[in-house]
């Protein structure tokens, strides 16, 4: 897609998602519980996407590749090895902020 207001319905219908390694794209997909192949754009400056993609792969949540290895990844993938992404816990962050600011 070039642009779409929301991908939520597409994500819910998907059996597999292939995406760039943008934080929003990765987290939305993982929060929907969908298997994800992250394709790293190696031409980005400072390649910040690489760090996120590699960490998510180390944690077992995604498969990671680049454009030249995507077909190989699709042929050899075993989606059963992927671990579910744990749900966020915003209440912990709120408690942390309360402590830092001094609210009780």
């Amino acid at each position: 897609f070039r642009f779409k207001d929301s991908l939520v319905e597409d994500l819910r219908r998907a059996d597999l998602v292939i995406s760039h390694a943008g934080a929003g794209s990765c987290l939305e997909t993982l929060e929907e519980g969908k298997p994800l192949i992250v394709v790293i754009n190696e031409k980005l400056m400072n390649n910040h996407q690489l760090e996120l993609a590699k960490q998510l792969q180390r944690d077992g949540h995604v498969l990671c590749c680049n454009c030249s290895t995507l077909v190989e990844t699709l042929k050899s993938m075993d989606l059963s090895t992927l671990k579910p992404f744990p749900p966020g816990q915003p209440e912990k962050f709120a408690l942390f902020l309360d402590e830092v600011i001094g609210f009780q």
Side-chain angles (χ1 to χ4, degrees), residues 3-77:
F3 176 79
K4 196 169 187 179
D5 286 333
S6 174
L7 295 176
V8 173
E9 288 305 315
D10 297 298
L11 289 173
R12 289 184 180 147
R13 287 192 309 267
D15 293 320
L16 171 67
V17 176
I18 301 171
S19 175
H20 74 134
S25 299
C26 289
L27 294 177
E28 276 188 275
T29 302
L30 293 171
E31 286 171 354
E32 286 295 326
K34 300 299 179 170
L36 175 61
I37 296 177
V38 176
V39 181
I40 299 165
N41 182 349
E42 296 171 325
K43 295 179 182 179
L44 287 178
M45 290 177 46
N46 299 326
N47 209 355
H48 63 281
Q49 290 187 1
L50 178 62
E51 293 176 36
L52 175 62
K54 290 296 183 182
Q55 186 61 53
L56 289 172
Q57 181 172 263
R58 278 192 294 274
D59 293 343
H61 302 300
V62 305
L63 298 175
C64 190
C65 65
N66 57 39
C67 289
S68 63
T69 60
L70 177 58
V71 172
E72 179 184 324
T73 301
L74 288 167
K75 288 179 179 178
S76 66
M77 69 183 180

Side-chain angles (χ1 to χ4, degrees), residues 77-93:
M77 69 183 180
D78 180 359
L79 300 178
S80 70
T81 63
L82 296 178
K83 298 176 186 174
F85 191 72
Q89 297 177 322
E91 64 279 357
K92 286 188 176 185
F93 183 66

